[in-house]
Amino acid sequence: MTQGDGARDEQRPGVQPAAGFHPRGSGGKKRKGRKGGGAEESMVPDADFKSYYGRPVLKPPVWEWMVPAYLLTGGLSAGAALIAVGADVTERPALCRSCRIGSFGALLASSYLLIGDLGRPLRFHHMMRVAKPTSPMSMGTWILMSYGPGCSLAGMAELLPKTWRTRGTIGGIVKWTARVSGISAAVIAPALASYTAVLLADTAVPAWHEAYREMPFVFTGSAAASGAGLAMVCAPVSEAGPARRLAVVGAAIEIAAAHRIDHKPTFETTTYTHGEPHKLRQISEYLTIGGALAAVTLARRSRIAAVLGGLALLAGSGFQRFGTFEAGVESTKDPIYVVKPQRERLDARRREQAEREQG
């Protein structure tokens, strides 16, 4: 590893610059003489994968609760923006208005959480200096900047007085502006819903990196389910039909992708199936399934059931994001999630090389 490589690794979440790996207890046995019975005494403790010279192999992510909350609100905004466009095209004004305002509010919350976690707002501004296609963080910055204006204009148009939105020339201009802005936001919404999964998977955190195939589907399905949940809570039952159908589709995608992560044969993803991450994701699954079942049954006629089902979907999406976040953090605390897969890959390469030499 060159000095430049080490500097780059230091900047990546979850990476700690390291010299050569020397696990504790990997050698150094001292033989006793014959008079001592010929027994061997270990000079160092047996390897227990608890430290790397007293430190973890990887640095745990410095991100706090603001990051999983940002993942939730960003996905919620994207999901609501998609529903708003469909409601606008199919002449469902109450559903359209509630989703536009909800999407705008979630975007404001998401922006606050993101900039707040950075510590200094200028750090976000500095990300706009370049556009680097190979950097998920750079692309995510530009996705947010492209999505924000359309979502904001559509949401603010719905907050104007009703007479401004519905009457005369001003009303026509406001309606046209809101429709064009909403469409522009909806075009970018799928990228907003999924890029955060790519951002996490691009780090060296074992549990996130190993789930890079499934995590975008988890986050996109969760975004759709949460957006639909918001619509079920805020819109009348008579107009919320498309949202209820999207809730079922989003919940199915989220749960199916989450199960694929749980059943992957790789060791790194075992953090998803036990401990605190497993509890959070299990709660998420129960809430999401309950919300989806309500959407196809009682929520079609009962306003109370629609609200409860929508809240369950929103809460399920939140537990999913926090559970995924905690799974990644847990995989950085124990060096075995780094050391064991590395050894398995090394052994596999050695076996392949031996087979080629024999063949």
Side-chain angles (χ1 to χ4, degrees), residues 13-14 59-65 67 117 208 325 329:
K59 289 182 179 179
V62 297
W63 299 327
E64 298 181 353
W65 66 270
V67 169
D117 182 74
W208 294 342
F325 180 79
V329 173

Side-chain angles (χ1 to χ4, degrees), residues 16 18-26 44 50-57 335:
Q16 173 176 312
F21 171 70
H22 303 287
R24 295 192 326 176
S26 60
V44 294
K50 291 297 176 66
S51 67
Y52 175 78
Y53 295 108
R55 302 174 66 186
V57 175

Side-chain angles (χ1 to χ4, degrees), residues 71 131 133 144 164 174 184 243 260 265 300 307 341 343-344 346 354:
L71 303 179
L144 280 172
W164 290 24
V174 169
S184 70
R260 281 186 61 87
R300 300 170 63 183
V307 171
R343 289 179 174 175
E344 291 176 348
L346 179 60

Side-chain angles (χ1 to χ4, degrees), residues 1-352:
M1 178 182 294
T2 65
Q3 182 177 0
D5 293 334
R8 285 193 297 272
D9 286 344
E10 188 175 5
Q11 296 173 0
R12 296 179 62 195
V15 177
Q16 173 176 312
F21 171 70
H22 303 287
R24 295 192 326 176
S26 60
K29 290 187 176 181
K30 179 180 178 182
R31 288 183 177 273
K32 291 184 177 180
R34 292 182 177 274
K35 293 182 180 181
E40 292 185 348
E41 179 182 0
S42 176
M43 297 175 61
V44 294
D46 293 335
D48 56 3
F49 296 106
K50 291 297 176 66
S51 67
Y52 175 78
Y53 295 108
R55 302 174 66 186
V57 175
L58 295 177
K59 289 182 179 179
V62 297
W63 299 327
E64 298 181 353
W65 66 270
M66 283 187 172
V67 169
Y70 160 71
L71 303 179
L72 169 65
T73 53
L76 172 60
S77 180
L82 286 171
I83 298 174
V85 168
D88 186 27
V89 173
T90 56
E91 299 296 332
R92 290 178 167 87
L95 177 62
C96 178
R97 185 168 189 264
S98 60
C99 286
R100 282 177 176 171
I101 295 175
S103 180
F104 177 48
L107 176 65
L108 292 178
S110 179
S111 301
Y112 168 78
L113 291 167
L114 176 60
I115 295 175
D117 182 74
L118 291 176
R120 289 183 293 177
L122 283 178
R123 290 179 177 175
F124 183 82
H125 174 266
H126 294 337
M127 290 296 296
M128 298 170 59
R129 292 178 177 178
V130 295
K132 189 176 181 182
T134 57
S135 170
M137 185 170 292
S138 176
M139 289 296 96
T141 302
W142 286 102
I143 287 172
L144 280 172
M145 293 303 300
S146 302
Y147 172 84
C151 175
S152 300
L153 283 174
M156 288 187 292
E158 297 295 342
L159 294 174
L160 293 174
K162 186 175 181 180
T163 55
W164 290 24
R165 293 184 285 110
T166 58
R167 296 181 185 179
T169 305
I170 295 179
I173 294 174
V174 169
K175 184 177 181 180
W176 180 86
T177 302
R179 173 166 292 183
V180 173
S181 301
I183 292 173
S184 70
V187 169
I188 306 171
L192 177 65
S194 59
Y195 98 88
T196 48
V198 180
L199 178 63
L200 294 183
D202 191 56
T203 67
V205 176
W208 294 342
H209 184 72
E210 192 60 31
Y212 74 96
R213 295 182 184 274
E214 297 82 9
M215 200 179 296
F217 292 96
V218 174
F219 279 25
T220 303
S222 179
S226 62
L230 176 68
M232 290 169 59
V233 171
C234 300
V237 173
S238 59
E239 293 190 11
R244 292 192 294 269
R245 289 188 287 272
L246 182 63
V248 176
V249 174
I253 294 173
E254 175 188 349
I255 292 172
H259 274 244
R260 281 186 61 87
I261 295 176
D262 292 344
H263 293 89
K264 286 176 73 74
T266 52
F267 180 74
E268 297 94 321
T269 55
T270 55
T271 55
Y272 292 95
T273 59
H274 67 270
E276 188 68 18
H278 176 65
K279 292 179 182 178
L280 294 172
R281 295 173 78 244
Q282 195 170 45
I283 294 172
S284 168
E285 182 174 339
Y286 293 153
L287 290 170
T288 302
I289 292 176
L293 289 176
V296 297
T297 55
L298 300 176
R300 300 170 63 183
R301 297 179 178 83
S302 170
R303 177 67 180 146
I304 295 177
V307 171
L308 293 177
L311 291 175
L313 291 169
L314 287 167
S317 181
F319 277 104
Q320 180 67 254
R321 306 306 174 103
F322 276 86
T324 300
F325 180 79
E326 289 297 327
V329 173
E330 288 297 321
S331 70
T332 63
K333 292 180 178 179
D334 194 336
I336 194 173
Y337 291 103
V338 178
V339 177
K340 182 176 179 179
Q342 286 180 343
R343 289 179 174 175
E344 291 176 348
R345 288 191 290 268
L346 179 60
D347 291 341
R349 285 196 296 269
R350 287 174 175 172
R351 287 194 298 268
E352 291 177 1

